[in-house]
Amino acid sequence: MKLVNHLLDGKGHDVVSIGPSASVFDAIKLMADKAVGSLVVMDGQAMLGIVTERDYARKVILKGRSSESTTVSEIMTDEVMTTSGSETVNACMELMNERRIRHLPVVDGDTVVGMISIGDLVHAIISDQQQEIEQLENYISG
């Protein structure tokens, strides 16, 4: 069974972050520039929360707020679900489905060491299943 660390070894340990006082406009621009759907909100090395495209849509656009004058701290989720590198991909998939979240920071102690998305997990699970199918086909065909 694949672990989160194996997943990060393949995709990289990059964590795109932003400060809590940055504008939501800057956050959305950074997400677009980096082609990511979420940012970890950091104060130095401390994780304060997470801000996502969903937060932007629900807490800025739908409420008629200004992206330039609203700060990240005003819309971020501060109760962040996290995982460790030693957790299995399947356990993370269950957690993300249960909590209806799409992004999961990976932490080692108090340090954010990576970020995984639901798409990363789906890709890993499909890859594992494909390998298993190939092994079974080889076994059956002799």
Side-chain angles (χ1 to χ4, degrees):
M1 187 162 299
K2 191 175 270 188
L3 301 179
V4 170
N5 273 336
H6 299 138
L7 187 62
L8 289 177
D9 288 344
K11 75 168 265 182
H13 290 262
D14 294 339
V15 177
V16 185
S17 65
I18 196 160
S21 62
S23 72
V24 172
F25 179 85
D26 289 339
I28 293 299
K29 183 174 182 339
L30 181 57
M31 284 185 224
D33 291 347
K34 298 292 185 176
V36 296
S38 69
L39 303 171
V40 178
V41 182
M42 303 285 288
D43 183 12
Q45 295 298 316
M47 180 173 57
L48 302 178
I50 189 169
V51 64
T52 67
E53 294 167 328
R54 185 184 289 179
D55 291 325
Y56 175 68
R58 293 179 178 178
K59 298 174 185 174
V60 177
I61 297 296
L62 290 178
K63 294 189 176 186
R65 298 168 82 177
S66 166
S67 300
E68 288 86 4
S69 64
T70 303
T71 63
V72 168
S73 64
E74 294 177 71
I75 69 162
M76 72 181 190
T77 300
D78 55 6
E79 292 184 26
V80 182
M81 298 302 304
T82 63
T83 191
S84 70
S86 61
E87 191 60 77
T88 66
V89 166
N90 287 344
C92 291
M93 179 65 89
E94 287 178 28
L95 173 67
M96 292 173 86
N97 280 329
E98 177 183 301
R99 299 293 177 123
R100 301 176 77 81
I101 57 176
R102 298 178 188 169
H103 303 92
L104 197 58
V106 181
V107 296
D108 182 5
D110 290 334
T111 304
V112 181
V113 297
M115 176 74 84
I116 57 174
S117 70
I118 196 85
D120 297 329
L121 298 177
V122 168
H123 178 73
I125 290 169
I126 289 172
S127 176
D128 282 352
Q129 288 176 345
Q130 186 60 41
Q131 288 176 354
E132 189 172 331
I133 289 168
E134 289 172 5
Q135 290 173 354
L136 289 170
E137 287 174 342
N138 289 336
Y139 176 77
I140 291 169
S141 64

